[in-house]
Amino acid sequence: MNTKNLKLFLLLFAVTISCSKDSENNTVVVEDENGNPIEVDTSANKKGVGDSANDLLSSNSFEKLVVEILYVDNLQPTASTLVNFKDFLEARLNKPQGVEIVQRQVENESQEVYSIQDIRNIEDTHRSKFNEQGTITVSGLFLDGEYDQNTENGSVLGVAYRNTSFVIFGQTIREFSNQPLAPSLTTLESVVVNHEVGHLLGLVNAGTDMQTNHQDTAHGRHCTDDNCLMFWTAETGEGLLNMLTGGSIPSLDTFCIADLQANGGK
């Protein structure tokens, strides 16, 4: 990967933990298992990033997790990406009733640039899975276009923006995976998806308390260990290359795992 491409790849992950105003419409009509319309309160799925970390990690309130993957055009994640994602979740979450991933293609007018509000609006239009008794749900959007916070020095590939919501800029990831010597599409997708869900789980110091101080405060909610999945790679290309050497997907370090375990995870 050449220097120009590295600079464009460096802003790999993002997390939105601001207090910006969310949608005021907290009800939606969806179909039940028999196809009958029902009104659902969605307020529990419209909180801040990290607010549901314990609910996701532990079995105290929810014994099952359902992840609804919504993708536009041909941006469906690879089958191997979803296997890697499920393995990551099952390794860290206490969900005795299991982890289920469902996916669905959605129609959306293509945009060149997306703001967080645009992304929220798309989720609100298409999301059909919400928390219910015993089951917590997560929404993952795979979109075309770019994030409006991109700069000339870097492109964001994923953002965690609600307590149970993340977005992946799938077209951008594919552009990088098609470049010479770049990691595979599955590797890039897996790293970004796992990283963004790590933020939903409260990492680092964002809803899940640290057992040992390992927050890279200079880069927000990220880990100081440059081999950890939650490392912020915007400063050095060397760190990014080391993370992805041989096509392997970085794992969480012992500090992050200890944090999750203390908050109800495995």
Side-chain angles (χ1 to χ4, degrees), residues 77 88 202 232:
F88 173 75
W232 174 258

Side-chain angles (χ1 to χ4, degrees), residues 53-167:
N54 180 260
D55 287 338
L56 287 165
L57 288 163
S58 75
S59 59
N60 295 338
S61 299
F62 302 98
E63 294 193 341
K64 181 178 181 178
L65 168 67
V66 173
V67 181
E68 183 177 39
I69 300 295
L70 305 173
Y71 62 93
V72 301
D73 300 330
N74 64 339
L75 298 179
Q76 181 179 16
T78 71
S80 295
T81 294
L82 296 182
V83 169
N84 293 336
F85 183 33
K86 188 173 183 181
D87 288 346
F88 173 75
L89 294 171
E90 291 179 337
R92 298 295 157 219
L93 275 53
N94 274 308
K95 297 299 174 198
Q97 297 301 315
V99 173
E100 179 183 1
I101 299 177
V102 297
Q103 53 183 329
R104 178 164 53 90
Q105 184 175 13
V106 297
E107 296 295 329
N108 185 70
E109 186 173 343
S110 180
Q111 294 181 215
E112 293 185 1
V113 178
Y114 292 92
S115 68
I116 281 295
Q117 190 56 55
D118 292 332
I119 294 164
R120 287 171 173 165
N121 292 341
I122 293 169
E123 178 193 345
D124 291 344
T125 298
H126 296 292
R127 181 171 179 169
S128 66
K129 303 292 185 183
F130 300 91
N131 294 1
E132 57 185 60
Q133 185 174 5
T135 299
I136 189 169
T137 67
V138 166
S139 171
L141 295 175
F142 280 68
L143 295 181
D144 55 359
E146 299 179 350
Y147 189 36
D148 71 352
Q149 299 301 305
N150 286 356
T151 71
E152 62 181 9
N153 294 320
S155 296
V156 174
L157 301 185
V159 182
Y161 61 95
R162 280 173 173 162
N163 60 320
T164 61
S165 305
F166 67 92
V167 61

Side-chain angles (χ1 to χ4, degrees), residues 3-11 150-155 234:
T3 302
K4 180 179 179 181
N5 292 337
L6 274 176
K7 288 181 178 179
L8 197 59
F9 188 60
L10 290 180
L11 282 180
N150 286 356
T151 71
E152 62 181 9
N153 294 320
S155 296

